[in-house]
Amino acid sequence: MREVHVQPSRDELFALYECMLLIRRTEERLREENRAGNLPGAVHLYIGEEAIAAGVCAHLRDADMITSTHRGHGHYLAKGGDLEAMMAEIWAKRTGICRGMGGSMHVADFSRGILGANGIVGAGFAIATGAAFSAQLQRSGRVVADFFGDGASNQGTLMECLNVASLWQLPLVFVCEHNGFSEFSPAATVTSGRIFERARAFGIPCHVVDGNDVAAVWQAARNAVERARGGGGPTFIEAHTYRVQGHLEAENLFLGEQRYRDAAEIEAWKARCPVARTRGQLESGGPAQVERLREIEARVMARVEAAVRFAEESEPADPQLAFSLMFDGHRP
Ligand SMILES: Cc1ncc(C[n+]2csc(CCOP(=O)(O)OP(=O)(O)O)c2C)c(N)n1
C-alpha cells in the first residue's frame, strides 16, 4: 500500500491539542490528589507521553478497539472514555467505569472499544491479537491498536502475536511507547537491539517516530490504520518519548535515597513537552488561534474540576459486589 504523507489540518491539530491537554490536566490533578493522600490506590502517570495516545486514537472509530497498559488513563481518554466515570473509578466509587472494582490500572469500557488498562505487563498483546482476529473473522472493518511499553516488548507473547498478526494479516497496529524505562531500569540495561526490528523479522512494516511530535505520530498512525482497515495487515510503530514522572507516584517510598536517572535528563525532556510544542505551533497562527487555545484551556479545566467533584461526591464502591461479579452470586 502506498504511504501518504499528510499533515493534520489546523482543526485536526486543535483537536489533537485538546485531547493531549485533557490528559495532561487530568493527570496533573491526579498527581495533586495522590500527594494529598486522597486516592485509594497507586497511579502511573502518562505525563509527557500524551502525543502517542492522541495521535493514534485520532484515527480510530468508536467501534475500533484498543488495549492499554498500567499507564492507561491517556489511552482511555483519547479513545473517548468518559472522564467522570474514570475519575470515580480511580476514587473507588460506585459510579466508576468498573463500579469502583478496578481502579486506575483497570479502566475499561468495552462499549467504546476500550478493552482495558492492564496491570499485567504485556497482557495486551494477546488480547489485541484476539480482538483483531475476531474483527477479521466477522469482517467488521474494525481495527485494533495495541499500546505497550519498551519493557513489555521483552515479553515472549509479543513474538507469538507478531507471528500470527503477520501470518493472518490481522487489522492490528502495534504501538510501542518507548519511554526509556522499565520501572527503575533504563532500557539499555534490559532491552537488547532495536525493538522494531523484532517486528521487521516477521515481515511487518515498521515506523520509528518522535513520540513527542503529535503530527509525526498522527501521520504514522494514519497510514497504519488505513492499511489495517483496507486488509493490508499489521504495522509496528515505535514512538520515542520519555517518562518525566516517576514509574508510579510516590516511587521514592520504594527507592529511598537511590536514583536511577539524572535530574538534568528529566529537565531536557520536559523542554520537549508535546503539549507545549503543539501550543507553540498553534499560537504562532495569530490572535484568533491564541483565543481558541484559551477557550480550550478553560473547557478542559472545567471538565477536570467537574469530574473530580463527581468522583468525590459519589458513593463508595460496595466491596460485596466483588463476590457477585466474580462468582455470579454463588459465593464459595
Ligand atoms: C507480567 C508482569 N511482570 C512484571 C510486572 C511489574 N512491572 C510493572 S510495570 C513494569 C515496567 C513496564 O515497563 P514498560 O512496559 O516499558 O512500561 P512503562 O512503565 O515504561 O510505561 C514492570 C516490570 C508486572 N506488572 N507484570
Side-chain angles (χ1 to χ4, degrees):
M1 182 189 243
R2 206 166 56 84
E3 299 266 305
V4 192
H5 295 281
V6 194
Q7 287 293 317
S9 67
R10 196 179 52 186
D11 283 346
E12 282 164 337
L13 200 57
F14 268 109
L16 290 166
Y17 174 74
E18 182 155 357
C19 177
M20 291 193 290
L21 192 72
L22 180 67
I23 301 168
R24 174 67 58 91
R25 296 290 179 251
T26 298
E27 292 214 319
E28 285 171 344
R29 197 68 159 79
L30 288 172
R31 185 175 60 189
E32 215 176 281
E33 296 290 334
N34 179 269
R35 285 182 185 163
N38 295 337
L39 302 183
V43 281
H44 301 74
L45 300 183
Y46 192 60
I47 289 178
E49 306 182 34
E50 299 90 344
I52 305 174
V56 171
C57 290
H59 301 291
L60 300 180
R61 301 176 182 160
D62 286 349
D64 290 335
M65 295 173 275
I66 61 165
T67 59
S68 171
T69 70
H70 52 285
R71 203 175 299 291
H73 309 146
H75 308 135
Y76 171 99
L77 291 173
K79 185 63 175 62
D82 183 88
L83 175 62
E84 294 192 348
M86 182 181 90
M87 291 303 233
E89 186 61 34
I90 295 170
W91 259 259
K93 298 296 180 79
R94 242 167 244 234
T95 51
I97 191 68
C98 302
R99 295 195 258 178
M101 296 286 116
S104 160
M105 270 188 280
H106 301 98
V107 287
D109 184 353
F110 289 8
S111 72
R112 291 174 207 234
I114 302 166
L115 303 186
N118 206 313
I120 300 171
V121 168
F125 300 135
I127 298 170
T129 304
F133 186 36
S134 123
Q136 186 184 61
L137 287 175
Q138 293 173 355
R139 298 179 200 278
S140 66
R142 294 163 94 184
V143 168
V144 184
D146 172 24
F147 294 97
F148 58 95
D150 47 293
S153 67
N154 295 325
Q155 294 288 53
T157 42
L158 175 61
M159 305 311 134
E160 299 176 46
C161 293
L162 290 172
N163 182 49
V164 294
S166 176
L167 193 65
W168 298 338
Q169 291 290 283
L170 298 181
L172 181 50
V173 183
F174 293 96
V175 186
C176 177
E177 302 182 315
H178 198 320
N179 66 10
F181 296 93
S182 175
E183 290 190 328
F184 315 120
S185 306
T189 66
V190 289
T191 300
S192 68
R194 293 187 294 178
I195 296 169
F196 72 89
E197 285 177 344
R198 300 173 189 186
R200 183 167 283 169
F202 291 94
I204 296 176
C206 300
H207 295 278
V208 179
V209 295
D210 176 353
N212 283 30
D213 177 349
V214 76
V217 176
W218 182 92
Q219 188 176 96
R222 183 180 188 276
N223 285 323
V225 170
E226 270 188 22
R227 181 203 309 279
R229 214 181 292 289
T235 301
F236 192 98
I237 297 174
E238 181 175 320
H240 284 260
T241 182
Y242 190 80
R243 169 165 62 66
V244 294
Q245 294 299 126
H247 167 60
L248 75 169
E249 287 310 284
E251 69 176 14
N252 289 344
L253 295 175
F254 291 83
L255 293 170
E257 292 304 304
Q258 295 180 72
R259 292 286 170 272
Y260 61 94
R261 54 182 176 171
D262 292 335
E265 181 180 281
I266 302 174
E267 290 313 310
W269 275 92
K270 278 186 180 167
R272 297 178 54 185
C273 168
V275 181
R277 188 164 165 176
T278 311
R279 186 168 45 234
Q281 279 166 359
L282 289 167
E283 271 168 356
S284 65
Q289 297 205 175
V290 171
E291 182 50 32
R292 196 165 160 189
L293 288 167
R294 233 180 263 128
E295 285 164 15
I296 290 173
E297 181 80 42
R299 186 159 60 233
V300 163
M301 286 309 290
R303 283 187 65 190
V304 173
E305 288 312 314
V308 171
R309 246 188 341 270
F310 175 78
E312 284 173 344
E313 290 168 5
S314 292
E315 288 290 307
D318 172 13
Q320 292 303 315
L321 185 63
F323 291 107
S324 53
L325 292 174
M326 290 267 281
F327 303 110
D328 195 22
H330 303 289
R331 197 170 159 168

